[in-house]
Amino acid sequence: MKIVTAIIQPEKLDDVKAALFNAEVCKMTVSRVKGCGQQAGYSESYRGQKRSVNLLDKVRLDIAVNENFVKPTVDAIIKGARTGKIGDGKIFVVDLPECIRIRTGETGGEAIG
Ligand SMILES: Nc1ncnc2c1ncn2[C@@H]1O[C@H](COP(=O)(O)OP(=O)(O)OP(=O)(O)O)[C@@H](O)[C@H]1O
Ligand SMILES: [Mg+2]
């Protein structure tokens, strides 16, 4: 099992949701977060003095999947979020040792699916 965590532009959330739905990925947690990447939150044209990073509004998706859904999930996020411009976002794929469905006590792949 893996956790796919994606940080995307907020305005791409609807496109990413649609692409995930098409890939039959329908379980997700979505959060509003702040962050910055390699531009430290400043555009290429920024000319002011930088004293710190500039945190920008982002949307975070956390999606726990079985191994066979990792690639479809990643592909769908890219399809929905990519414009080719800086700030399109980033995807982190992390090993997930366990998952438990509280209602039934199911564990592992059965609890995720
Ligand atoms: N190394 C990192 N660790 C934690 N969060 C990160 C990291 N890189 C990016 N992020 C998160 O992802 C968001 C989007 O990153 P962003 O797309 O700007 O990445 P980038 O590496 O700067 O690539 P690009 O040059 O395409 O902009 C950031 O605002 C931040 O929330
Ligand atoms: Mg960036």
Side-chain angles (χ1 to χ4, degrees):
M1 298 176 288
K2 297 270 197 287
I3 286 261
V4 179
T5 294
I7 315 291
I8 62 167
Q9 297 284 19
E11 63 267 23
K12 301 304 281 182
L13 178 59
D14 283 348
D15 289 344
V16 170
K17 275 198 306 182
L20 287 167
F21 187 77
N22 281 339
E24 298 178 1
V25 178
C26 303
K27 304 182 197 78
M28 64 191 74
T29 301
V30 178
S31 322
R32 293 166 187 247
V33 295
K34 290 193 177 274
C36 58
Q38 64 180 351
Q39 292 80 23
Y42 296 95
S43 75
E44 302 281 295
S45 59
Y46 185 81
R47 292 281 179 266
Q49 197 179 1
K50 296 169 189 166
R51 289 193 183 81
S52 180
V53 296
N54 184 34
L55 297 176
L56 304 173
D57 289 336
K58 302 285 171 182
V59 162
R60 169 176 173 157
L61 296 102
D62 291 290
I63 305 171
V65 290
N66 288 313
E67 299 294 335
N68 57 328
F69 264 93
V70 173
K71 188 171 183 336
T73 300
V74 167
D75 288 349
I77 293 167
I78 293 169
K79 189 173 180 197
R82 188 170 188 280
T83 67
K85 297 186 202 140
I86 60 169
D88 271 353
K90 209 163 263 186
I91 301 171
F92 306 100
V93 180
V94 183
D95 284 331
L96 176 65
E98 186 57 291
C99 169
I100 301 119
R101 177 174 279 123
I102 292 173
R103 175 174 60 87
T104 59
E106 290 164 290
T107 59
E110 288 191 351
I112 280 188

